Each structure stands twice: as structure tokens, then as C-alpha cells.
Amino acid sequence: MDGMSWPSQSELDGMREKVAQMSGGDAKEVRFVVSPYRICPLGAHIDHQGGTVSAMTINKGILLGFVPSDDSQVVLSSGQFQGEVKFRIDEIQLPKFNNGSNNTIPVMNSSKSEEECNWGSYARGALYALQKRGNFLRKGIIGFICGSDGLDSSGLSSSAAVGIAYLMAFENANNLVISPTENIEYDRLIENEYLGLRNGILDQSAILLSSYGCLTCMNCKSVQTKEYQLIHPPNLLDGQKISMKSSYKILLAPSGLKQALTTNPGYNRRVTECQEAARILLQASGKEGLEPLLSNVQPEIYEAYKSKLEPSLAKRAEHYFSENKRVMKGVEAWASGSLKDFGKLISESGLSSIKNYESGCEPLIQLYEILLRAPGVFGARFSGAGFRGCCIAFVDADCALDAASFVKNEYRKVQPKLASQIDQERAVIICEAGDCARVI
Ligand code: GLA
């Protein structure tokens, strides 16, 4: 199994039939965007401050089957949500939600049923982003979109995967040649401007730039240049003839909490707190002219002036500076093939997210602690912002099944109600590294 093990031929065939039924055309004409989910082993919550992050994709994600329509109509159906989304590709899109630059709480506020009606927002947002950068499209698409079972709202960046899937389908149908780095910017426009979430560029960069088996390391400050490096693992691990790629698996342990990030005020509030810490540190060091981002504060300045920060802001800054260091050490550990060291750093990062960034919630913290006790686990942390979704872990491939059943049983003991809402077949998912988003 490798990064190309998803999507399977049967998934593609099933979707081909659905799209052909919708369009009335030939199933052979159906094209696909494969847009994987991402994990961020190290570098949590620092992308929005211009920090350096690490990421990779997994062999699960969003699949969008489509054909270009004969005219400007966009018609979409979803494997997860009810109803059809219809609009014209030449309709001018405006941000859906009022995104004032000062907002500390997201302006998008929706219940689950509203979310059902609103699932077309990402497609409209993709069109908004393309138009905002001067691309006026003529051809719509007829498409069916579906996420891997059991993983919607898992903190694996399904929203960026969806946004990228629509961008790539619209671009392909209109013969637009757009580079991955341009799509990073387009997806930023969907999330920051169209949906009002003040997140960084970690998610979409990981999805667009990753390469199977490598750790992607990105400097999120260079929004213009999109500087990144692919860190290859060594071929041999500890002198044995074992490839690092086959020696670990990635465990995903869903918590059962699913509230969308755009409907939770916590994320944008933390961004504001980090900026406030940066503003105070820059002011104390006579650099108030710089944009209040923690990446504009040199580590020596932080050390010299951190006593000026009140306790909660001091914790946010401590997370930022310690996490940057963990990313650098993690890159070395990955390049030298030490999953043990890499895993230790992931767990330390998880702890800092809980203690310093204060972004976990009880079920995710419990899952994190359970994963650390599971057999063969190198390291664990919660995925994404930490307000919902799943915990991830790197585990010795030989212990993956035992670790999965341990976690499933232990989580059921501490969170019986949430656990009962998770399909028991998918209570813990064992997956592998993936590749970047592509059209096939
Ligand atoms: C979410 C955001 C990202 C990033 C992570 C936390 O996934 O969309 O930009 O901040 O949380 O690392």
C-alpha cells in the first residue's frame, strides 16, 4: 500500500456512475479531483503567526467527480449532505459573511441543519477566490463530492480539501493553468475572506505541496514566496533493511465532536491573543512599526520582555516559540529516521497545545492521554485546532491493530455517550501517508 492506495478503483467507478447519471453523459468522460486530508505532526497553531510548520497528507480525503457542463451551470451533489447546489459560474460572488478585520468571533454562525443547506459555500467561495484574482470563468461543472467515511469534521482539514477540490475542478473545466502556490492563495481567500476564519496557510499548503513519504516543512511567513522543503526519510532505519515508509502507520482516533471551526469562537480568539502578545513584545522592544505577528518577534526579544505579558498571553507566546523549536528538531529526527524522537516531539507539542495554547477540550485530551498509553505509539496529539475532531498518532506498524483496539475500548470507558455516536467500525482508523492533491 502506498500514497496511491486511495482512491480505490471501486470508489472511482461508483462515483463515475453517479456523475454520469447527473449529467446524462458518458461515464468515461468523468474526471476526478483527489484532494487528501492532512495531518500536522509538529507546528500546531503557529501558521497564523507566520511560524514554520510540518505536515503530510494521508491516504484518505475528498474525491470530486465532475464533467464540465455545456454552459455556465454548476450543479453539485454530495455524499454527506442532502440536496443539490446550483449556481452559475458567471455569477459574481461576494463574501458570504461579514469579515471585519477586528472580529474576535467568527461571523459565520450555523447549526447542523443550516450547515446542510450551506454545504455549497465552499464551491461559491472557490469561485469568489478565482474571481477576486481576475479569473472570470465560463464553464460550470456537474459534480459529485464525497469525503472518506467517518472523517468529516475531524480536524484533518476537510474544509481546505473541499475548497481545493472545487478550485481544481473549476480550473480544469476552464483550461486554467494555476500553480500549487497560487491555489494556496486562492484557498486562503476562501477561508479568510469568504468564510471569515482567520486561519493560516498550513492546511492548503500541506494538501497542495506534500509528496508521498516526505515530511513537508513550510515557512508560513512567506505568504508570497510559499517557501517549503520536502524532507525525505532515510531508506534504512537503524541499520536494518526496513524502509521508514513501511515501519509506521498513522492512527486517527475521532472524538465524536463535530462542530465546524467557523462556528466556534475559540479559534479566532486565540489568533487575537497571539497578536496581542506580539504587539506588546514589539512595543517593549521599540519595534511597534512591525505587523503584530509573533514571527516578527525575535526569540531573544521574547526572552528579554516576556515578563511584560499577562499570564494567558505569556502562555500563547510560549507555545509559539517552543513549537517553532520542536518543528526544527522534528525535521532533523525525520531526516535521520528516528520515529522515536519524532514521536516524542509530537507528544510534547500536544501537551503544549493543551497547557500553553489551552485549545484542547476534555474528550480530545482524554484521547491524547489514552493514545500515549497505547502499545507501539511513538507520539500523539490532537489534530487541527483542537476544539473538535480527532487525535492522531504515529504508531509502530506491527502494533497498529492492537493500539487501535486499545484506544477504542478505553475511549468508550471515559466517553460512553460520544463513543456511541461513532460508527464502531471506524472508531479508530489506521491509515498511511498520502500524496498531494491532483486531477486524474
Ligand atoms: C486549523 C487551521 C490551520 C491551523 C490548525 C492548527 O486546521 O485551519 O490554519 O491553524 O488549525 O495548527
Side-chain angles (χ1 to χ4, degrees):
M1 260 226 242
D2 63 16
M4 309 312 254
S5 61
W6 170 78
S8 66
Q9 195 54 48
S10 65
E11 269 175 283
L12 293 176
D13 291 344
M15 188 166 276
R16 219 184 277 285
E17 289 307 318
K18 287 199 175 89
V19 178
Q21 256 173 26
M22 286 171 73
S23 69
D26 187 342
K28 287 200 203 83
E29 300 297 315
V30 176
R31 309 171 191 182
F32 299 92
V33 184
V34 177
S35 187
Y37 295 148
R38 67 97 190 90
I39 57 168
C40 170
L42 294 165
H45 330 292
I46 61 172
D47 59 339
H48 52 73
Q49 294 303 299
T52 298
V53 303
S54 79
M56 61 202 290
T57 56
I58 56 173
N59 63 344
K60 308 264 174 226
I62 297 288
L63 195 57
L64 169 61
F66 70 98
V67 286
S69 43
D70 294 332
D71 53 21
S72 60
Q73 272 304 318
V74 175
V75 182
L76 301 167
S77 289
S78 156
Q80 270 76 36
F81 296 110
Q82 298 295 314
E84 247 183 12
V85 165
K86 283 191 183 170
F87 59 92
R88 285 171 44 151
I89 201 93
D90 51 6
E91 269 169 35
I92 298 297
Q93 301 294 323
L94 296 172
K96 191 165 183 191
F97 303 96
N98 165 29
N99 182 17
S101 56
N102 274 333
N103 61 320
T104 50
I105 51 162
V107 276
M108 184 175 177
N109 190 11
S110 61
S111 63
K112 173 76 184 158
S113 60
E114 276 172 291
E115 223 173 286
E116 296 262 341
C117 311
N118 278 331
W119 68 264
S121 294
Y122 285 91
R124 291 176 186 274
L127 181 55
Y128 165 81
L130 285 159
Q131 290 174 344
K132 179 86 193 264
R133 290 290 181 262
N135 305 287
F136 292 92
L137 312 186
R138 292 179 178 281
K139 258 194 187 300
I141 62 167
I142 298 170
F144 186 87
I145 190 160
C146 194
S148 296
D149 281 343
L151 288 176
D152 52 309
S153 314
S154 288
L156 295 165
S157 181
S158 45
S159 51
V162 168
I164 287 167
Y166 288 130
L167 283 168
M168 290 176 89
F170 290 158
E171 290 158 7
N172 179 281
N174 287 276
N175 296 319
L176 289 177
V177 180
I178 306 282
S179 69
T181 50
E182 281 173 285
N183 272 331
I184 292 176
E185 170 61 8
Y186 291 170
D187 192 69
R188 189 191 70 73
L189 293 173
I190 304 177
E191 304 226 35
N192 292 172
E193 290 192 10
Y194 191 79
L195 298 171
L197 184 70
R198 298 172 64 201
N199 58 349
I201 58 167
L202 157 69
D203 301 340
Q204 68 269 45
S205 306
I207 294 168
L208 287 157
L209 303 174
S210 287
S211 174
Y212 172 63
C214 295
L215 183 70
T216 311
C217 179
M218 283 146 342
N219 173 350
C220 295
K221 190 167 184 187
S222 57
V223 175
Q224 301 309 322
T225 56
K226 316 281 186 312
E227 246 175 62
Y228 75 103
Q229 256 185 302
L230 293 176
I231 317 294
H232 290 263
N235 283 330
L236 301 182
L237 183 67
D238 294 335
Q240 298 164 14
K241 294 223 171 259
I242 304 169
S243 146
M244 183 164 156
K245 286 178 192 166
S246 56
S247 61
Y248 70 90
K249 302 264 179 202
I250 298 161
L251 288 188
L252 308 177
S255 64
L257 293 171
K258 292 203 164 182
Q259 190 194 11
L261 262 196
T262 41
T263 63
N264 185 320
Y267 188 92
N268 281 359
R269 198 173 285 145
R270 288 287 177 278
V271 176
T272 305
E273 288 167 351
C274 290
Q275 289 185 325
E276 182 57 9
R279 197 186 58 72
I280 294 168
L281 292 165
L282 288 169
Q283 203 165 36
S285 57
K287 300 232 162 81
E288 53 270 62
L290 294 178
E291 192 186 349
L293 287 178
L294 286 167
S295 55
N296 280 334
V297 178
Q298 295 307 311
E300 318 72 80
I301 300 288
Y302 165 61
E303 288 302 329
Y305 296 103
K306 64 183 182 191
S307 58
K308 302 232 174 253
L309 299 171
E310 53 98 345
S312 62
L313 298 188
K315 286 189 198 169
R316 309 300 176 256
E318 179 54 27
H319 176 74
Y320 176 86
F321 288 99
S322 63
E323 189 70 357
N324 263 312
K325 284 191 204 148
R326 281 186 287 272
V327 173
M328 295 310 153
K329 286 192 195 156
V331 164
E332 279 168 30
W334 188 265
S336 68
S338 175
L339 284 168
K340 223 168 135 206
D341 291 347
F342 189 68
K344 197 162 160 272
L345 289 160
I346 298 176
S347 305
E348 284 168 16
S349 162
L351 191 62
S352 180
S353 291
I354 295 165
K355 297 256 185 269
N356 293 323
Y357 205 71
E358 295 180 296
S359 67
C361 52
E362 198 190 22
L364 281 168
I365 296 172
Q366 288 167 328
L367 262 181
Y368 165 74
E369 286 164 352
I370 293 169
L371 277 163
L372 293 189
R373 289 191 281 120
V377 164
F378 295 116
R381 61 156 298 109
F382 48 72
S383 189
F387 300 105
R388 56 145 191 191
C390 75
C391 271
I392 59 140
F394 276 68
V395 62
D396 184 328
D398 295 335
C399 304
L401 282 171
D402 288 348
S405 77
F406 176 85
V407 175
K408 180 171 155 182
N409 293 336
E410 293 297 304
Y411 190 57
R412 207 185 296 133
K413 287 185 204 158
V414 292
Q415 288 290 349
K417 199 157 163 227
L418 278 176
S420 71
Q421 289 161 24
I422 304 170
D423 174 354
Q424 285 308 290
E425 290 291 295
R426 302 195 179 88
V428 180
I429 297 167
I430 302 173
C431 60
E432 327 241 334
D435 221 323
C436 61
R438 56 209 179 266
V439 178
I440 53 174

